[in-house]
Amino acid sequence: NSGLPHVFRTTVFPGIRIEDITHIAGAIKASDEYVLQDFDSSNLTNLAFKDVKGLGREVLESWAQEIRSLVKQVRVSALW
């Protein structure tokens, strides 16, 4: 315990499930903030994922709402 604020971030890639996010949130529940970041294929080094689309704001906001009881603050981030 460093006494410093902790922010955890997960880039949500298609295939990840709400169960995965809930598990992560449960593991970091003492953190100050958890950010769900939508996948963005616009600046990749591995072009194999260039046609993959993120899950979108609506899905991430819904997931954030589901885990708000586990983490002090949950935010959604993306380049929408």
Side-chain angles (χ1 to χ4, degrees), residues 41-67:
S41 63
S42 65
N43 190 18
L44 297 173
T45 56
N46 183 343
L47 297 180
F49 301 108
K50 68 179 178 163
D51 295 326
V52 175
K53 302 292 182 216
L55 297 181
R57 179 183 299 233
E58 190 173 304
V59 171
L60 269 58
E61 290 287 356
S62 169
W63 290 6
Q65 187 62 36
E66 284 194 46
I67 62 171

Side-chain angles (χ1 to χ4, degrees), residues 17-29 34 67 70:
R17 304 165 302 143
I18 182 59
E19 293 84 6
D20 302 317
I21 297 298
T22 302
H23 179 77
I24 294 167
I28 62 167
K29 61 184 173 188
Y34 184 30
I67 62 171
L70 299 173

